[in-house]
């Protein structure tokens, strides 16, 4: 099933996954850099973006990390449907890289969302694409996508928001809300922490002890009393899941990965797996004061990250920082400020249509296996990723159902490029509301049915687990969309 050559390939990529996150100093106090925004002018967003391995400000310290334009997170890019996006990219990293535009509905070919490109150290490349006029408004992002190095480069710091402003932003109640972006990202800044990112850490998916929001520790956000706050949240972590709760405040979900849902849905907490986004409205309806945005415990590895390996002979601290730790962490603090006239929640958002029946159903199995001498390999339908022939061929302008079965012992967030899908059911239970998604959690033992309309763009692209170590270790496959 898996031949020896593949084992060697995989094990080489693991061995070369040297951690680039090394703290050069944690004594220098530096002001955290707030992300710069770059918006389109006329109908063109023209940006110079440089990936480098250099000293940056992070969590109130200076550390040597990977960044775009020296900022963590990278600059926030903003465009409108119909705009052309041109990114003059330069790779100043000591290793090859590339760019992926996570969630955008644009061609997977040429110099658009082409994850098969390889930009060598010192090279420049101009990405250019036009957002369709009917592109949904929403919270998207960009990050490197060179197979074998994705986890290392994203964990090292490379990620930025890409916002498409449109219809959703024009709804009056949403326009009246204050807007706050939240990029969730964990880091391992001290060497002890970096050391445990060894074999096992990588197999489970590396996690760092430092939980940052927009590159800061526990930043403060404000909400006007009586007002509305729109939180636009991205999980840009390599592996960490976030189970988010805002003390004493319900969360009114208004958008998911692919943009608006049909009407707000009240939630008490939200689970955000790597790659996923949510937009949430918060009402300033409590007593003025401070409320914590919490990350509640969640076990994504079926106890593998704790138990013997974590608390046993390897020492309590080894795996003690994984997301299945038993304690909650504070991510940010919400503070009330001056009273405003009470703002209502929107009743109606943008309708998510029900999709017609699928013309074809396929089944995908997610699992991992032990390989001699190298531990776990991660598989889709029993195969690790191999560059070349497509694993799945679909026809443009058709609708398919994919039944994704996780037969393994860890959770896997499944992600598809280029086309959004709707989750139809989980273990045959229908989803409570319709939403456009590009990443969805498939829990261990679960079968998730998604419905995908393949629209507009033929070409080759990929689907994969968004625990990026799993992706690098094989849990990815090539999709060809045929015209
Ligand atoms: Cu955000 Cu293929 O990735
Ligand atoms: Cu993606
Ligand atoms: Cu996975």
């Amino acid at each position: 099933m898996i031949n020896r050559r593949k084992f060697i390939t995989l094990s080489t990529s693991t061995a070369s996954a040297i951690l680039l996150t090394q703290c050069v100093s944690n004594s220098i106090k530096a002001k955290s850099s707030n992300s710069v925004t770059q918006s389109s002018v006329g109908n063109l967003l023209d940006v110079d973006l440089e990936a480098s391995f250099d000293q940056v400000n992070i969590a109130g310290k200076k550390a040597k990390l990977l960044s775009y334009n020296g900022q963590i997170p990278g600059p926030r890019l903003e465009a409108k449907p119909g705009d052309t996006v041109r990114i003059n990219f330069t790779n100043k990293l000591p290793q090859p890289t590339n760019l992926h535009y996570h969630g955008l509905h644009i061609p997977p070919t040429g110099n658009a969302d082409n994850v098969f490109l390889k930009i060598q150290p010192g090279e420049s490349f101009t990405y250019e694409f036009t957002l369709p006029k009917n592109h949904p408004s929403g919270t998207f992002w960009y990050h490197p996508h060179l197979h074998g190095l994705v986890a290392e480069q994203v964990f090292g710091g490379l990620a930025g928001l890409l916002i498409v402003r449109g219809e959703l932003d024009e709804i009056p109640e949403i326009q009246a809300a204050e807007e706050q972006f939240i990029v969730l990202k964990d880091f391992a800044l001290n060497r002890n922490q970096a050391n445990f990112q060894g074999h096992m850490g990588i197999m489970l998916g590396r996690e760092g002890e430092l939980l940052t929001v927009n590159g800061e520790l526990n930043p403060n956000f404000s909400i006007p009393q009586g007002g509305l706050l729109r939180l636009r949240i991205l999980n840009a972590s390599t592996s960490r899941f976030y189970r988010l709760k805002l003390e004493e405040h319900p969360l009114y979900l208004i958008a998911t990965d692919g943009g608006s849902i049909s009407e707000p849905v009240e939630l008490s907490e939200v689970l955000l797996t790597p790659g996923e986004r949510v937009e949430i409205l918060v009402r300033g309806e409590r007593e003025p004061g401070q409320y914590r945005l919490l990350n509640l415990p969640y076990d994504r590895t079926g106890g593998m990250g704790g138990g013997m390996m974590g608390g046993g002979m390897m020492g309590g601290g080894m795996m003690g920082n994984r997301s299945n730790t038993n304690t909650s962490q504070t991510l940010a603090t919400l503070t009330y400020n001056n009273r405003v006239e009470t703002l209502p929640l929107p009743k109606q958002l943008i309708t998510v249509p029900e999709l017609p029946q699928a013309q074809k159903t396929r089944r995908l199995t997610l699992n991992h296996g032990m390989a001699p001498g190298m531990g776990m390999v991660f598989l889709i339908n029993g195969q690790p990723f191999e560059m070349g022939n497509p694993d799945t061929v679909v026809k443009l302008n058709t609708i398919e159902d994919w039944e994704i079965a996780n037969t393994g012992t860890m959770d896997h967030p499944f992600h598809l490029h280029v086309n959004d899908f709707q989750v139809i059911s989980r273990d045959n239970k229908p989803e409570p509301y319709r939403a456009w998604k590009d990443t969805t959690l498939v829990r261990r033992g679960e079968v998730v049915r998604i419905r995908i309309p393949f629209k507009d763009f033929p070409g080759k692209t990929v689907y994969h687990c968004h625990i990026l170590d799993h992706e690098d270790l094989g849990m990815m496959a090539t999709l060809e969309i045929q015209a």
Side-chain angles (χ1 to χ4, degrees):
M1 198 171 59
I2 307 164
N3 62 36
R4 194 169 146 71
R5 188 181 54 78
K6 280 179 191 161
F7 284 160
I8 290 165
T9 313
L10 287 166
S11 98
T12 310
S13 82
T14 309
S16 73
I18 323 145
L19 264 188
L20 292 177
T21 33
Q22 285 166 7
C23 190
V24 291
S25 159
N26 47 23
S27 56
I28 308 163
K29 287 276 174 214
K31 206 176 152 278
S32 263
S33 61
N34 269 321
S35 222
V36 170
T37 310
Q38 288 188 260
S39 305
S40 51
V41 178
N43 284 307
L44 176 68
L45 174 64
D46 196 352
V47 186
D48 294 332
L49 205 64
E50 188 180 284
S52 64
F53 176 38
D54 232 321
Q55 190 149 299
V56 293
N57 296 319
I58 180 86
K61 300 172 183 173
K62 280 193 188 292
K64 203 171 174 193
L65 289 169
L66 308 187
S67 70
Y68 293 121
N69 294 0
Q71 297 154 28
I72 288 182
R76 185 171 85 234
L77 311 182
E78 296 208 358
K80 308 177 298 301
D83 284 356
T84 293
V85 178
R86 184 187 299 146
I87 295 179
N88 312 296
F89 179 70
T90 304
N91 180 12
K92 291 265 175 74
L93 302 176
Q95 52 183 209
T97 189
N98 64 13
L99 283 176
H100 165 50
Y101 306 94
H102 181 132
L104 290 190
H105 183 57
I106 54 172
T109 48
N111 54 357
D113 189 23
N114 184 347
V115 294
F116 302 111
L117 294 170
K118 191 171 189 172
I119 300 159
Q120 297 294 346
E123 274 184 10
S124 292
F125 185 83
T126 302
Y127 286 92
E128 189 168 325
F129 50 85
T130 298
L131 296 171
K133 285 215 163 61
N134 62 354
H135 197 287
S137 43
T139 307
F140 307 99
W141 63 302
Y142 59 94
H143 64 78
H145 214 291
L146 191 70
H147 180 65
L149 294 172
V150 184
E152 175 178 345
Q153 293 184 354
V154 172
F155 193 70
L158 294 176
L161 284 165
L162 201 162
I163 300 300
V164 179
R165 291 219 184 257
E167 250 189 308
L168 179 61
D169 308 274
E170 281 146 26
I171 293 173
E173 293 87 349
I174 290 180
Q175 257 179 350
E178 310 257 329
E179 185 178 57
Q180 180 64 56
F181 293 92
I182 294 186
V183 178
L184 300 168
K185 205 150 176 30
D186 57 341
F187 290 90
L189 292 188
N190 67 63
R191 278 177 188 281
N192 288 343
Q193 194 62 33
N195 281 343
F196 96 69
Q197 307 294 343
H199 208 54
M200 206 58 207
I202 285 170
M203 293 300 157
L204 296 173
R206 67 193 83 190
E207 293 188 3
E209 81 294 355
L210 202 63
L211 304 194
T212 67
V213 169
N214 305 334
E216 295 177 52
L217 284 184
N218 190 12
N220 193 70
F221 303 138
S222 59
I223 186 167
Q225 198 193 350
L228 284 176
L229 180 63
R230 175 188 185 185
L231 300 177
R232 311 186 67 168
I233 312 175
L234 158 68
N235 182 351
S237 285
T238 303
S239 317
R240 189 179 279 277
F241 289 20
Y242 295 83
R243 204 178 128 212
L244 302 170
K245 185 180 175 60
L246 181 59
E247 286 181 318
E248 288 181 47
H249 289 75
L251 307 172
Y252 297 97
L253 182 72
I254 56 166
T256 54
D257 303 336
S260 183
I261 55 174
S262 299
E263 63 254 321
V265 171
E266 185 180 332
L267 302 170
S268 58
E269 57 176 71
V270 62
L271 181 68
L272 207 62
T273 71
E276 285 188 301
R277 292 86 66 209
V278 284
E279 296 194 26
I280 296 246
L281 288 178
V282 175
R283 304 191 78 168
E285 59 189 356
R286 292 283 173 265
E287 287 296 301
Q290 294 203 317
Y291 300 88
R292 294 176 299 168
L293 176 65
L294 295 171
N295 181 28
L296 304 179
Y298 180 85
D299 174 18
R300 64 176 178 83
T301 61
M304 284 176 77
M308 252 200 63
M309 269 177 298
M313 52 185 285
M314 290 164 88
M318 271 319 241
M319 297 285 176
N321 299 305
R322 309 202 73 83
S323 26
N324 55 2
T325 160
N326 299 318
T327 53
S328 301
Q329 298 119 326
T330 302
L331 298 170
T333 304
L334 184 72
T335 305
Y336 275 61
N337 59 18
N338 294 342
R339 178 156 243 314
V340 297
E341 208 184 313
T342 303
L343 291 174
L345 285 171
K347 289 206 171 56
Q348 237 17 84
L349 300 165
I350 298 158
T351 305
V352 177
E354 186 176 355
L355 290 168
Q357 289 299 309
Q359 284 128 290
K360 190 174 173 76
T361 299
R362 301 174 196 266
R363 195 176 169 94
L364 301 180
T365 305
L366 311 179
N367 205 338
H368 56 265
M370 297 302 284
M374 60 157 306
M376 272 178 259
V377 284
F378 289 81
L379 311 164
I380 299 181
N381 288 346
Q383 299 288 327
F385 177 75
E386 202 179 356
M387 200 64 86
N389 292 332
D391 301 277
T392 303
V393 180
V394 302
K395 284 215 166 62
L396 190 66
N397 298 318
T398 62
I399 296 180
E400 293 203 359
D401 275 6
W402 288 9
E403 251 178 30
I404 308 159
N406 180 348
T407 59
T409 53
M410 288 180 220
D411 291 359
H412 298 295
F414 180 87
H415 171 52
L416 172 67
H417 288 204
V418 182
N419 289 286
D420 280 347
F421 54 81
Q422 292 179 16
V423 176
I424 302 299
S425 64
R426 293 176 184 276
D427 288 337
N428 289 317
K429 266 187 50 205
E431 280 286 87
Y433 53 89
R434 272 203 290 277
W436 287 115
K437 296 286 293 166
D438 57 55
T439 308
T440 196
L441 177 59
V442 186
R443 291 187 172 83
R444 48 194 186 274
E446 195 175 45
V447 180
V448 176
R449 178 182 277 255
I450 64 173
R451 188 160 295 168
I452 320 158
F454 293 99
K455 294 189 300 187
D456 305 317
F457 308 117
K460 279 190 199 170
T461 188
V462 291
Y463 52 88
H464 59 89
C465 176
H466 219 289
I467 291 177
L468 296 170
D469 283 297
H470 295 175
E471 179 272 306
D472 281 339
L473 293 170
M475 199 175 268
M476 177 157 83
T478 304
L479 170 71
E480 182 174 353
I481 306 166
Q482 283 183 342

